[in-house]
Amino acid sequence: MKTIYLFIALCMTTISQAQLKPVSYNDGNQKLNGFAAIPSKPNSNNPGILILPAWKGINNHSKEVAQKLSGMGYHAFIADIYGEGNYPTNTNEAAQQSGHYKTNYKEYQKRITLALEQLIKSGADANNIVVIGYCFGGTGALEAARGNLNVRGVVSFHGGLGKNASRENNTITTKVLVLHGSDDPHVPQSDIQSFQQEMNSSNADWQMVYYSGAVHAFTEKEAGNDNSKGAAYNEKADKRSWEHFLLFLKEVLK
């Protein structure tokens, strides 16, 4: 009997992994390597979710999220922001790479746009898409809103909120949801205040939810559980933020 259960478990794992399809695409001469998760039973209106990974690039967490969303009937695509040959191998490299795109935000917006094109090619309705991101990817989700990309909503999970003060606040037409750890040391109060002022001056339809006792990376199990390090997994915040995200999808997607 145990052998049968083991065989079934292995089969289910294979099916789950098979949902992810490697996709190569390009930004000029730069090769990019993303992943598409195509649902076996798509929802009506073919809603799509673009996933922007954390600062080290595509990881197990982003893949798990894509598979989970695919299982719910969403077309999902994980964006490759850095490109082949530029993937960080440590935190210093990740800080350097992510810092480049935070500063050169138009390059970030372009990489997001290219990933959106791949999501649409995989079957998502071009007018029925939400962008979500984690940490550095959360910053990218906000850049999708700031750039007025053709998306119905953006969601930032423990993402950076700041932008250069010299940038103008343009009208934001997409809906914005920010899911934030109340004890996140990587997002200073000044950034939170500036972000909220930006959203208001941009006439954005925005929400911000705080999770008590949560620091940076609260959805990332690989971050461990030591809050003193400034980044740690928080099971309660992870589950609550997912439910808030699903509620947002019901509101914004057709």
Side-chain angles (χ1 to χ4, degrees):
M1 185 65 70
K2 290 183 178 179
T3 303
I4 294 175
Y5 285 137
L6 178 60
F7 176 77
I8 293 174
L10 288 172
C11 288
M12 292 303 294
T13 299
T14 301
I15 292 172
S16 178
Q17 290 175 344
Q19 292 178 341
L20 281 181
K21 176 186 175 183
V23 177
S24 294
Y25 57 113
N26 296 89
D27 182 359
N29 294 325
Q30 176 62 63
K31 183 181 179 182
L32 304 169
N33 299 297
F35 287 91
I38 302 172
S40 57
K41 295 182 179 179
N43 292 325
S44 61
N45 298 318
N46 292 312
I49 314 292
L50 180 66
I51 302 166
L52 306 179
W55 70 340
K56 287 188 177 180
I58 297 174
N59 58 5
N60 290 333
H61 178 246
S62 56
K63 292 178 180 179
E64 289 170 1
V65 170
Q67 290 173 324
K68 190 172 182 179
L69 290 169
S70 176
M72 298 168 65
Y74 297 100
H75 292 268
F77 189 84
I78 311 173
D80 178 7
I81 300 301
Y82 300 139
E84 191 168 290
N86 300 309
Y87 304 129
T89 58
N90 54 55
T91 55
N92 289 333
E93 292 178 0
Q96 181 177 5
Q97 288 279 21
S98 62
H100 170 82
Y101 287 96
K102 288 177 182 178
T103 301
N104 300 280
Y105 63 93
K106 289 190 179 295
E107 292 183 31
Y108 202 176
Q109 291 174 355
K110 182 182 180 183
R111 291 283 166 91
I112 296 170
T113 300
L114 292 172
L116 283 170
E117 292 174 358
Q118 295 303 316
L119 174 60
I120 294 165
K121 287 181 180 179
S122 75
D125 183 336
N127 297 309
N128 201 26
I129 291 174
V130 164
V131 176
I132 70 173
Y134 296 86
C135 300
F136 166 59
T139 304
L142 295 179
E143 286 300 339
R146 290 166 177 149
N148 277 316
L149 303 189
N150 183 32
V151 296
R152 299 184 67 84
V154 301
V155 183
S156 169
F157 290 84
H158 45 79
L161 306 180
K163 72 177 179 67
N164 193 300
S166 65
R167 292 173 59 184
E168 294 184 5
N169 294 334
N170 299 315
T171 299
I172 291 178
T173 57
T174 189
K175 295 183 179 181
V176 178
L177 173 62
V178 171
L179 306 172
H180 182 69
S182 64
D183 297 335
D184 190 337
H186 298 287
V187 182
Q189 187 62 33
S190 59
D191 279 2
I192 294 174
Q193 293 175 343
S194 295
F195 167 75
Q196 293 179 353
Q197 291 171 0
E198 174 195 359
M199 292 296 104
N200 289 331
S201 66
S202 299
N203 295 316
D205 181 347
W206 67 281
Q207 307 170 62
M208 186 168 181
V209 183
Y210 290 80
Y211 302 105
S212 64
V215 293
H216 198 63
F218 59 77
T219 66
E220 303 275 352
K221 293 180 180 179
E222 295 177 358
N225 56 11
D226 185 356
N227 274 19
S228 68
K229 294 181 178 180
Y233 178 69
N234 184 302
E235 183 178 8
K236 186 180 292 186
D238 183 20
K239 290 181 178 179
R240 286 177 172 175
S241 64
W242 185 259
E243 291 301 317
H244 283 128
F245 163 54
L246 294 183
L247 183 63
F248 183 75
L249 292 184
K250 290 180 181 179
E251 176 186 337
V252 304
L253 290 176
K254 292 185 286 184

